[in-house]
Amino acid sequence: MADPGQMQLISSDGYGIEIQAIGYQFPEDPDERIRRSWLMIDGTANCAEGTWHFRWQALTPEEAVELSNWLRKAAAGEIPAPSAAGPHAAGHNGPYFTEPNLTLTLVGYQQQEAVLRIGLDLEFLPPWRKHNRAGDPFVIQCSLSAADLLKAANDWDTQIAPFPP
């Protein structure tokens, strides 16, 4: 079971991720810009192949806020799904993060659920699939209701509240 407030993006099949912001990368740095530059993200991923833990400085505080906003937009159906015939057929409609460790893409909406593709790369990769170059993430797909997405956004807001941009 997740810690209270830990953000969960987990399908009914049990596959997905749980993440939490656990602090700044450089909490003791006297320069506030450096101290608040990166958030340490701690998480667990679960898929058919197994379960693993990861921890890395993967999001800026601003990107953490962007993640929450994106989840709310996905819950409201405000993120257009890629269309095979449209200009974003192979594109990425998720939030942009500087580090490639985590990517989220809305695949579409099915049976009143948002279908997300969660990409885990570099330090977030499963132990059986490690490599040193970004660009080939391990993907977990999960379907989440609007209520699940809103709960994830609210839990994420709780996680990042102590770490303002």
Side-chain angles (χ1 to χ4, degrees), residues 51-53 124-130:
T51 300
W52 68 98
H53 180 260
F124 285 11
L125 283 167
W128 62 86
R129 185 144 176 257
K130 293 290 186 186

Side-chain angles (χ1 to χ4, degrees), residues 43-62:
T44 302
N46 188 38
C47 66
E49 293 88 346
T51 300
W52 68 98
H53 180 260
F54 50 84
R55 180 181 287 189
W56 193 254
Q57 60 275 3
L59 297 174
T60 67
E62 294 82 4

Side-chain angles (χ1 to χ4, degrees), residues 39-78:
L39 291 178
M40 297 296 297
I41 305 301
D42 184 73
T44 302
N46 188 38
C47 66
E49 293 88 346
T51 300
W52 68 98
H53 180 260
F54 50 84
R55 180 181 287 189
W56 193 254
Q57 60 275 3
L59 297 174
T60 67
E62 294 82 4
E63 291 167 347
V65 172
E66 183 182 345
L67 172 55
S68 179
N69 293 337
W70 186 85
L71 291 168
R72 283 188 173 77
K73 288 179 184 177
E78 296 174 0

